[in-house]
């Protein structure tokens, strides 16, 4: 070989060497900038490549891990994801790659002397072949997924803590490979990895072409505007500028729904320090974005629910007070502050349990005996007890007259059943108790006015008798049937000599028989109406006698009791004033489906009470009609049912109603809002109810809105209905 040939060959070798060094430098730059660790080994287990991130992930370099491949699991401390079960060396992705096998996304736990805390890694392995296809070793790509696991755990904990009904996501972040793209100094793409190709970049040629951003579908995070070619991280890297975690949206034919990515780019330098190209690493952050959006939605929903609950909490009419387990009042709604009259917070901090009595002054319902703090409903709730319908009297400087409260309490517990406080719910029952007191006073007063009451009841009965007699008089006076019968008799008398021919042949005579049949039916109907009217007069007269006979029972609360049919007695009371009901075309509804068939009670007084209350409803309807404000059919409903040990009777009408200012006075003797009323109907009814050991209350939404009289009677004997038996 000549000297010139040697020189030429030497020059070619130097050029090849320089090219090879450039490629090695390029690959080294790529490996050094990867977010994944890369390790390559010969068939003998000698590491000939390990980039810095691989050494950082493993916690040691190749020299520290020298040894036979069968010892690698023990040397590097590889475990199954449970962190305790050793992973067999023979199954390690690198060892399998050295056997010519391909592995993807093997999840391992790594813990050794340099990584005592341990990390989770994701490993993929590929076999290495020389230019003639011989297996010469293996290579693995390693990713640290500890943070992803921690984020996954934290997100799961967050979702559970928020107590949403959303199903826990099957996977928050999946381990995915980074996309890698390399361009030369002219911006021409020289390499893609599979992840980048899956994003639709395989048809890209040059980053500087006008169509690059549009063809690859690179949008700004707003998903509306394209990145200009000069702004792309790779273009910036070719100008010597680093780009870190630039967020973009990629949307193209391969990714029609779009994928959020974060891109980091670095320049590639040649041996002279000149920029020879650039490399970018593309990380998929779609799941992270999705998780963040989901958390935002959850937070927004919880905020809306919290605002709704706060609105309800602030709007309810009952007072609500919440205390921590130490007895410190930590929450209360506006109704609690309004009812109690004092703020729940003091100038120093919050009112403690030992200060409750001084701040609010609790008494038993007698208004004199102080209520022990340790026995208050909220204190009992702090001990884990529940209370219902406890009546308490509060009187202090700001409420000199005092108020009565009906309160219930419940303990508060955390998810483990530990006591963390108590809640108290209460409402003001002062008006109700005053109403009951007024009824009781009316009862006492009524015992002194029994004669007026009896006269009132007799007056009601006599009025009914008078109406009945007027009905009889109307039916008998100027009776058309008598006139028609008289006219027929005169017509027949005129034809008494030829009566047979007249009835058979005369057109008028032929109408006599049908006329007699019709007249007979009319007489029957009139007779039935007279009979029923006379029966009602008889019943009303008997009722007057019963009132007089039983007047002594008003002086004796025990009275004579007997078993009566409840539904029949209500019907009898309605019959007493049926003329008044029919005259006004009032609809009467009786509902005894949930009441006993028979009750034991003082029959006459019970009957009179029903008459008085139904008559009161009729008069209330008259009052509203008189004002010209009646817009619906008049109706009265009588409903009887059992509530605990009481027989309840509700008499409801859609009449004039009761003014709120008069609601506590309606049972007082002599009180009336009617022009001709005497105020004894409701008063005598209240007397009977209270003397029977019961209660009576009036309810109304105000003038023109109807009213309900609610009666509770203690019955010594109750026979259930057939369907109850």
């Amino acid at each position: 070989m000549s000297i010139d040939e040697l020189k030429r060959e030497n020059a070619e070798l130097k050029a090849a060497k320089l090219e090879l060094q450039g490629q090695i430098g390029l690959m080294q730059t790529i490996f050094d900038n990867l977010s994944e660790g890369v390790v390559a080994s010969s068939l003998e287990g000698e590491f000939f490549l390990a980039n810095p991130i691989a050494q950082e992930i493993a916690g040691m370099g190749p020299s520290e891990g020298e040894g036979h491949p069968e010892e690698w699991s023990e040397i590097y401390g590889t475990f199954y994801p449970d962190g305790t079960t050793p992973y067999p060396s023979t199954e390690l992705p690198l060892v399998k790659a050295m056997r010519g096998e391909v592995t993807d996304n093997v999840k391992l736990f790594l813990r050794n002397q340099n990584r005592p805390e341990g990390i989770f890694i994701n490993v993929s392995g590929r076999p290495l072949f020389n230019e003639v296809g011989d297996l010469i070793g293996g290579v693995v790509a390693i990713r640290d997924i500890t943070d992803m696991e921690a984020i996954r755990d934290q997100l799961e904990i967050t979702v559970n803590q928020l107590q949403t009904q959303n199903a826990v996501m099957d996977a928050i972040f999946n381990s995915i490979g980074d996309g890698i793209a390399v361009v030369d100094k002219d911006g021409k793409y020289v390499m893609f990895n599979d992840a980048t190709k899956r994003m639709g970049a395989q048809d890209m040629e040059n980053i500087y072409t006008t169509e690059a951003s549009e063809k690859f579908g690179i949008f700004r995070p707003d998903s509306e505007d394209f990145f200009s070619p000069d702004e792309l991280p790779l273009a910036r890297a070719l100008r010597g500028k680093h780009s870190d975690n630039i967020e973009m949206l990629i949307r193209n034919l391969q990714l029609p729904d779009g994928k959020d990515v974060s891109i980091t780019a670095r320049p590639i330098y040649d041996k002279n320090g000149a920029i020879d190209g650039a490399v970018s690493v593309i990380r998929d952050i779609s799941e992270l974005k999705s998780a963040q959006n989901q958390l935002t939605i959850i937070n927004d929903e919880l905020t809306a629910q919290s605002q709704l609950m706060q609105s309800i909490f602030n709007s309810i009419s009952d007072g609500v007070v919440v205390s921590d387990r130490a007895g410190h009042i930590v929450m209360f709604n506006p109704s609690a502050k309004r009812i109690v009259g004092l703020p729940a917070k003091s100038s120093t901090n919050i009112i403690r349990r030992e200060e409750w009595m001084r701040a609010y002054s609790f008494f038993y319902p007698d208004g004199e005996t102080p209520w022990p703090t340790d026995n208050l409903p909220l204190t009992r709730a702090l001990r884990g007890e529940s209370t219902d319908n406890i009546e308490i009297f509060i009187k202090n400087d700001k409420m000199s007259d005092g108020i009565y409260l009906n309160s219930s309490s419940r303990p508060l517990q955390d998810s483990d059943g530990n006591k963390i406080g108590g809640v108290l719910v209460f409402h003001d029952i002062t008006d109700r108790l005053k109403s009951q007191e007024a009824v009781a006073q009316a009862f006492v007063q009524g015992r002194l006015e029994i004669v007026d009451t009896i006269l009132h009841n007799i007056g009601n009965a006599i009025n009914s008798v008078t109406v009945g007699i007027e009905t009889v008089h109307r039916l008998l006076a100027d009776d058309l049937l008598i006139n028609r019968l008289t006219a027929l008799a005169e017509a027949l008398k005129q034809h008494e000599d030829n009566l047979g021919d007249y009835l058979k042949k005369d057109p008028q005579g032929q109408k006599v028989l049908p006329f007699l049949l019709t007249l007979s039916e009319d007489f029957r109907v009139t007779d039935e109406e007279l009979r029923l009217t006379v029966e009602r007069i008889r019943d009303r007269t008997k009722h007057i006698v019963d009132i007089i006979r039983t007047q002594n029972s008003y002086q004796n609360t025990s009275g004579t009791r007997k078993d009566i049919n409840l539904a029949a007695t209500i019907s009898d009371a309605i019959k007493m004033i049926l003329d008044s009901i029919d005259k006004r075309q009032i609809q009467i509804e009786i509902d005894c489906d949930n009441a006993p068939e028979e009750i034991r009670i003082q029959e006459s007084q019970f009957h009179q009470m029903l008459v008085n209350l139904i008559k009161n409803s009729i008069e209330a309807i008259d009052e509203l009609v008189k004002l010209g404000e009646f817009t619906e059919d008049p109706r009265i409903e009588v409903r009887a049912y059992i509530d605990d040990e009481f027989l309840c009777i509700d008499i409801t009408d859609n009449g004039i109603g009761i003014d709120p200012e008069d609601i506590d006075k309606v049972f007082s003797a002599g009180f009336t809002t009617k022009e001709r009323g005497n105020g004894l109907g409701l008063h005598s009814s209240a007397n009977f109810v209270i003397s029977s050991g019961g209660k009576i209350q009036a309810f109304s939404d105000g003038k023109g809105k109807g009213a309900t009289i609610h009666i509770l009677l203690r019955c010594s004997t109750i026979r259930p209905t057939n369907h109850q038996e």
Side-chain angles (χ1 to χ4, degrees), residues 204-400:
M204 297 290 293
E205 294 182 359
N206 193 296
I207 63 172
Y208 293 117
T209 59
T210 306
E211 306 84 28
S213 292
E214 297 182 10
K215 192 172 183 179
F216 192 25
I218 304 175
F219 293 86
R220 296 185 184 279
D222 62 8
S223 76
E224 298 293 337
D225 301 323
F226 287 105
F227 265 94
S228 66
D230 287 341
E231 293 179 304
L232 292 173
L234 278 175
R236 289 170 53 85
L238 289 176
R239 298 196 297 270
K241 298 181 179 180
H242 290 195
S243 297
D244 290 303
N245 301 320
I246 304 300
E247 292 191 9
M248 298 178 176
L249 176 74
I250 297 178
R251 185 172 62 232
N252 48 43
L253 293 176
Q254 281 72 27
L255 301 171
D257 296 330
K259 182 184 288 291
D260 293 299
V261 298
S262 172
I263 299 181
T264 297
R266 293 288 187 274
I268 299 174
Y269 299 95
D270 61 17
K271 64 180 181 178
N272 298 319
I275 296 177
D276 195 39
V279 59
S280 66
V281 179
I282 308 171
R283 300 178 180 88
D284 183 358
I285 60 172
S286 297
E287 291 188 357
L288 178 60
K289 286 279 188 181
S290 176
Q292 290 173 341
N293 292 337
Q294 185 65 27
L295 282 176
T296 299
I297 293 172
I298 292 173
N299 283 331
D300 290 343
E301 290 177 350
L302 287 176
T303 299
Q305 288 181 351
S306 176
Q307 291 174 347
L308 175 62
M309 294 304 297
Q310 187 66 37
S311 176
I312 295 173
F313 183 70
N314 291 336
S315 300
I316 58 178
S317 59
D318 283 1
V320 181
V321 173
V322 180
S323 166
D324 63 18
R325 61 184 177 185
H328 303 161
I329 297 176
V330 296
M331 185 183 297
F332 60 95
N333 66 343
S335 293
K337 183 176 180 179
R338 172 181 54 80
I339 295 172
V340 174
L342 291 175
K345 292 188 177 181
S346 65
S347 58
T348 55
N349 190 5
I350 53 179
I351 292 184
R352 295 171 171 79
R353 184 170 60 183
E354 56 270 16
E355 299 171 340
W356 289 353
M357 179 58 74
R358 176 181 56 77
Y360 300 105
S361 301
F362 300 102
F363 297 89
Y364 282 97
D366 62 10
E368 300 293 337
T369 307
W371 198 300
T373 304
D374 288 341
N375 201 34
L376 287 170
L378 187 54
T379 307
R380 294 174 62 183
L382 296 179
R383 296 198 298 263
E385 303 176 30
S386 297
T387 62
D388 289 298
N389 301 319
I390 304 298
E391 293 186 2
I392 298 177
F393 183 71
I394 294 181
K395 184 176 182 181
N396 51 49
D397 294 339
K398 292 190 177 182
M399 293 183 294
S400 56

Side-chain angles (χ1 to χ4, degrees), residues 589-603:
E589 298 179 14
I590 302 175
D591 180 5
C592 295
D593 291 345
N594 297 315
E597 181 180 354
E598 290 189 353
I599 61 173
R600 175 168 294 179
I601 202 165
Q602 296 162 313
E603 180 184 20

Side-chain angles (χ1 to χ4, degrees), residues 470-535:
E470 288 177 353
T471 301
V472 173
H473 180 269
R474 175 177 53 79
L475 292 173
L476 295 179
D478 195 22
D479 193 333
L480 293 178
L481 295 179
I482 297 298
N483 294 337
R484 290 164 63 190
L485 182 61
T486 301
L488 175 61
E490 291 177 353
L492 292 176
K493 185 176 181 180
Q494 292 176 5
H495 297 280
E496 59 182 341
D497 295 334
N498 60 340
L499 187 58
D501 291 337
Y502 175 71
L503 294 176
K504 292 181 179 180
K505 300 177 180 181
D506 190 284
Q508 293 298 323
Q510 292 173 352
K511 296 178 181 179
V512 170
L513 182 58
F515 181 79
L516 281 174
L517 294 175
T518 301
L519 188 62
S520 173
E521 176 61 21
D522 290 343
F523 265 112
R524 188 193 66 76
V525 172
T526 301
D527 180 70
E528 178 67 15
E529 187 174 355
L530 281 171
R531 184 183 64 79
L532 293 175
T533 302
V534 171
E535 286 181 357

Side-chain angles (χ1 to χ4, degrees), residues 207 238 273 375 397 415 454 492 547 597 632 695 697 709:
I207 63 172
L238 289 176
N375 201 34
D397 294 339
S415 58
I454 294 173
L492 292 176
I547 292 173
E597 181 180 354
E632 54 184 328
K695 300 179 182 179
Q697 295 172 282
I709 302 298

Side-chain angles (χ1 to χ4, degrees), residues 536-552:
R536 286 199 293 271
I537 294 174
R538 180 197 63 194
D539 292 341
R540 291 161 189 164
T541 304
K542 180 178 178 295
H543 184 58
I544 294 174
V545 175
D546 289 340
I547 292 173
I548 297 173
R549 286 178 177 176
T550 58
Q551 61 179 320
N552 289 333

